Structures are given as structure tokens and as C-alpha cells.
Amino acid sequence: MINSDMQVFTAKHLAEVLTIPDKYLRRLMTDMSKKGFIKSIQGREGGYVFAKNASKIYLSDVVDAVEGIERYNGCIMGHETCSDENPCSLHNTYAPIRDHLISFLLNTTIAELKDINISKF
Amino acid sequence: MINSDMQVFTAKHLAEVLTIPDKYLRRLMTDMSKKGFIKSIQGREGGYVFAKNASKIYLSDVVDAVEGIERYNGCIMGHETCSDENPCSLHNTYAPIRDHLISFLLNTTIAELKDINISKF
DNA sequence: CATATGTACTACATTAAGGTGGTATAATAA
DNA sequence: TTATTATACCACCTTAATGTAGTACATATG
């Protein structure tokens, strides 16, 4: 039962539009569904729909689900103990860049990727 | 003939210290030599030596030789025409981060990686 | 019940990166 | 000339990521 005003897309439709195999797309979508980004609707007239509005899903959520956000937080030199108080030799030059990147991920939503040029990736 | 004051390392020695196979290391070193980061000295008493002091080799040089620095310069949305004058929807938030990252690569040398924790990479 | 959806599980193919190993050759110091 | 070094090919292996395919099953609408 659909109680959302968001559009429902079937695997068949998406596979055609994206020109990737139906079965493969389904597997990816099922994974995204388990990760909570989309909801799946089984049965006739079913399909996939965003679990919440795309403007509420942050890039950091996706990065975290796919590869873990931790990779972005560590010391560039690989030191466990590196911090503002106990900086490695590159901490002061690199940490601000890293922090800006993280805040970019935390503040940008997938809705903002609407105009992306997919063919470049 | 060696006319440098920098230390010469043989493949055999490096392979032992780094515990990777001699043959494999040689292949990587020959590649680095062709890319100009090190010089190889053939014959008895030969080996490898930095082509210039490590404090003159920038991360950007290495990135460029290995994967091409262009990948770091493009628009995050993949638009060819994106620029300060004709910005994509994320240009103003992302471009400054990208530019800081590039200047980090341009201004950091491999000499500064001396204390890196190799086991983390 | 019939039909159109998604799910689960399995098996295998493809590609790229990373790595191993052999043999022959070129260069150079001693 | 001999020993020690690097170079050039070549063939193959391993691993991980990505993609393809088949079959059976669960779910929901009408």
C-alpha cells in the first residue's frame, strides 16, 4: 500500500531508462532498500520509492552506508593518536581540508545531485 | 658513476627491508625511474637513488605521474563548462575545498611523509 | 486465482589491480 | 673478464569489484 506522494518506479522501468540489466538493478535496489534509502513495494503495482525526500538524505549518509564514514575521519599519516592536541607533522595543513570535506558531505543532499553529468562517472 | 651525495639502495636491500619480492620491487622502481623520481645506476655497486632531494618532489608530481592531476581539477558534477563565471549548483560550496586540496598537494613534499604509518595503507 | 511485482540464493563471467616467477640481456666496477 | 647490478619480456596467479543469469519464492492487486 502506497501512502506517499513520491513517485514509484519499477525495476523494469529503471533498468530500461538506465540501460542496465533488470536483475542487476534489482539487486542494487534491494541493497539500498535494506540500507533504508528507499522503500520497496512488493506485489502488483509495486516498485521502489524514496524512503524519505531526497532533500533529507545527505551524502554522508550514503558514504557511511557504502564504505563507512570513518575512512574520512582518520589522520592522513595513519597515526591513531593524531589530534589537535597531539598533531602529526601534516595535521595542521591537512585537517582543515578534511574537515571542510566532511562538512560538505554532512550538508549536501542527494537532491542536490539532480543535475549531475552521470556519463562522467 | 655516482656523482650524488644521496644514498644508493639496491633492489635486493629494499626488497628485504620492505619484505616484498625483489622482482616486483624492481618493476616498480624501474617505473619510478622512467617517471623521473629516481635514477637507476646499473652495474656493480649500482642501485637506486632519488633523482633529486625528496624535499623537492611534491605530492602533486607523484599524483600527476600515477593517475593524472586532471582528475582533481574537474567539476564535481562532471560539467565541462563549470567555472567561477558559470558555476554548477555545487561549485560554490565544493570548489574551495577542491582548491585547498590541490594546493595541499602542490605544497607538500614526499620528504614530509617520512613519519607516515605505512601499515595503515 | 492470475498477474505483476520484489526477494533470495546460487553460480558464474569479466575486468582491473596487484603480485609472483623465469629467462635472457645490458651496463659497469673491480 | 667476472661478478654484480638493473632492464626487458613474458606468462601466470590472486583478489576484489562489478556484472550476468537462472530458478524458485513471497507479496499484493484486482
Side-chain angles (χ1 to χ4, degrees):
Chain A
M1 181 58 180
I2 307 168
N3 63 356
S4 163
D5 55 353
M6 282 189 281
Q7 191 171 355
V8 176
F9 298 95
T10 65
K12 188 163 175 290
H13 171 72
L14 292 173
E16 276 168 11
V17 172
L18 301 173
T19 63
I20 58 176
D22 180 272
K23 289 299 276 300
Y24 183 49
L25 179 131
R26 282 167 198 259
R27 208 171 62 189
L28 300 177
M29 294 301 270
T30 299
D31 186 42
M32 287 297 106
S33 175
K34 284 178 175 166
K35 284 173 172 162
F37 296 115
I38 57 177
K39 278 188 287 200
S40 66
I41 301 158
Q42 288 193 325
R44 191 166 177 157
E45 303 294 304
Y48 304 100
V49 63
F50 275 116
K52 53 184 174 181
N53 196 286
S55 64
K56 298 277 179 57
I57 302 175
Y58 293 87
L59 298 191
S60 53
D61 298 333
V62 180
V63 169
D64 198 28
V66 172
E67 57 179 14
I69 198 79
E70 318 82 47
R71 274 182 69 68
Y72 286 77
N73 272 293
C75 169
I76 193 177
M77 298 283 266
H79 296 304
E80 295 290 359
T81 62
C82 179
S83 67
D84 287 352
E85 291 72 37
N86 183 30
C88 74
S89 58
L90 290 177
H91 183 81
N92 291 329
T93 46
Y94 185 69
I97 299 172
R98 182 196 64 189
D99 293 347
H100 281 111
L101 181 58
I102 291 173
S103 75
F104 173 77
L105 297 176
L106 286 170
N107 291 294
T108 305
T109 71
I110 64 170
E112 295 175 74
L113 300 183
K114 196 170 67 137
D115 298 324
I116 204 166
N117 181 357
I118 288 273
S119 68
K120 297 297 254 179
F121 298 96
Chain B
M1 182 60 179
I2 307 167
N3 63 357
S4 164
D5 55 354
M6 280 189 283
Q7 191 171 355
V8 176
F9 299 95
T10 64
K12 187 164 177 288
H13 171 72
L14 291 173
E16 277 168 9
V17 171
L18 301 173
T19 62
I20 58 175
D22 181 272
K23 289 301 275 301
Y24 182 50
L25 179 130
R26 282 167 197 263
R27 206 171 63 188
L28 300 178
M29 294 302 269
T30 298
D31 187 42
M32 288 298 107
S33 175
K34 284 178 175 166
K35 283 172 173 164
F37 297 116
I38 58 177
K39 278 188 287 199
S40 66
I41 301 158
Q42 287 193 326
R44 193 164 177 159
E45 302 296 303
Y48 303 101
V49 63
F50 275 116
K52 53 185 174 180
N53 195 287
S55 65
K56 298 276 178 59
I57 302 175
Y58 293 87
L59 298 191
S60 53
D61 298 334
V62 181
V63 169
D64 198 29
V66 171
E67 58 179 13
I69 198 78
E70 318 81 48
R71 273 182 69 67
Y72 286 77
N73 272 293
C75 170
I76 194 177
M77 299 282 267
H79 296 305
E80 295 290 1
T81 61
C82 179
S83 67
D84 287 352
E85 291 72 37
N86 184 28
C88 74
S89 57
L90 290 177
H91 183 81
N92 292 328
T93 46
Y94 184 69
I97 299 172
R98 182 196 66 188
D99 293 346
H100 280 113
L101 180 59
I102 291 173
S103 75
F104 174 77
L105 297 176
L106 285 170
N107 291 293
T108 305
T109 72
I110 65 171
E112 295 175 76
L113 300 183
K114 196 170 68 135
D115 298 324
I116 204 167
N117 181 358
I118 289 273
S119 68
K120 295 298 254 181
F121 298 95

